[in-house]
Amino acid sequence: MREPKTTMKPPEGMERAVYPGSFDPITNGHVDIILRGAKLFPRILVAVLENPKKATLFSTEDRVAFIREIFKDQPQIEVEAFHGLLADFIQDREARVVIRGLRAVSDFEYELQMALMNQQLNPDLETLFMMPSARYTFLSSSLVKEVFALGGSVRGLVPETIEQRLREKFAGQTESSSS
Ligand code: PNS
């Protein structure tokens, strides 16, 4: 007789997959990949890059808080900030799978370089590429910021909470730049 699903333990290091990124801000394309990943792994750890050298619209704390808020009813989705090498972070968290979204061929070269470098740093680490739903293949955080800043609508492209945060952020910027 087959064992009930609940007693099956995933192989070592496969308990959770890590989904790293800048998430400045998270888009519906990212959400789509996280939900797809959550169908394959018991837990997904969303790892938000903290990079003092890279200027971001939202602080690391905000980016983490926004994603936690979006997935507050899904305990299998965890969110943490990380800095330094991704390969080290993955090892510290006893994981071995990195999930990355691939939207178009143009993503491939950069992603291949990263995947191979991470493999070089930790041969046990595997990068799993996942395709978002076709309706998000044109979507990026940079485009969302640009379109929003120029007064365009990003409805349906980011979670509602992000739309609100963008509104607050840009309202704040207009106020401070006019003062
Ligand atoms: O959303 P992004 O900006 O495309 O994500 C890039 C990210 C965070 C995955 C990448 O920059 C990264 O892993 N940075 C951590 C530093 C590191 O490990 N660099 C070597 C990887 S090749």
Side-chain angles (χ1 to χ4, degrees):
M1 213 173 84
R2 279 170 86 191
E3 288 198 0
K5 260 187 175 170
T6 47
T7 62
M8 281 169 61
K9 239 181 132 234
E12 214 178 299
M14 304 289 271
E15 170 62 26
R16 61 180 165 187
V18 175
Y19 180 47
S22 305
F23 305 107
D24 184 41
I26 187 167
T27 68
N28 281 346
H30 295 127
V31 170
D32 184 77
I33 295 285
I34 293 169
L35 296 177
R36 283 171 196 277
K39 289 185 195 157
L40 301 181
F41 295 90
R43 288 191 282 160
I44 299 292
L45 173 55
V46 183
V48 179
L49 178 67
E50 177 175 15
N51 182 357
K53 288 192 192 135
K54 193 175 160 190
T56 51
L57 179 65
F58 294 103
S59 68
T60 310
E61 294 70 32
D62 279 352
R63 287 178 282 140
V64 167
F66 299 163
I67 305 172
R68 285 201 177 129
E69 162 72 19
I70 291 161
F71 293 104
K72 62 177 187 295
D73 297 326
Q74 283 150 283
Q76 75 274 34
I77 316 288
E78 304 163 337
V79 191
E80 252 188 77
F82 81 102
H83 56 85
L85 283 178
L86 177 64
D88 290 343
F89 177 76
I90 304 255
Q91 205 158 15
D92 285 351
R93 296 297 174 273
E94 295 177 350
R96 50 178 299 215
V97 177
V98 177
I99 293 179
R100 290 287 289 171
L102 261 193
R103 292 162 300 188
V105 178
S106 50
D107 282 344
F108 185 73
E109 200 166 331
Y110 169 60
E111 293 297 336
L112 178 71
Q113 279 182 347
M114 277 207 302
L116 293 179
M117 180 55 82
N118 283 326
Q119 198 182 80
Q120 165 80 23
L121 293 167
N122 177 357
D124 287 335
L125 193 154
E126 297 296 341
T127 302
L128 177 68
F129 292 112
M130 298 187 73
M131 317 303 152
S133 164
R135 65 182 188 276
Y136 300 129
T137 47
F138 66 95
L139 191 54
S140 70
S141 300
S142 324
L143 265 187
V144 162
K145 285 181 282 193
E146 184 177 328
V147 167
F148 193 89
L150 296 171
S153 169
V154 294
R155 178 116 340 142
L157 304 181
V158 293
E160 272 176 35
T161 162
I162 298 297
E163 216 184 321
Q164 179 58 29
R165 302 301 171 191
L166 283 165
R167 229 175 273 129
E168 289 163 11
K169 177 63 83 175
F170 282 97
Q173 284 193 355
T174 313
E175 274 158 32
S176 54
S177 59
S178 60
S179 63

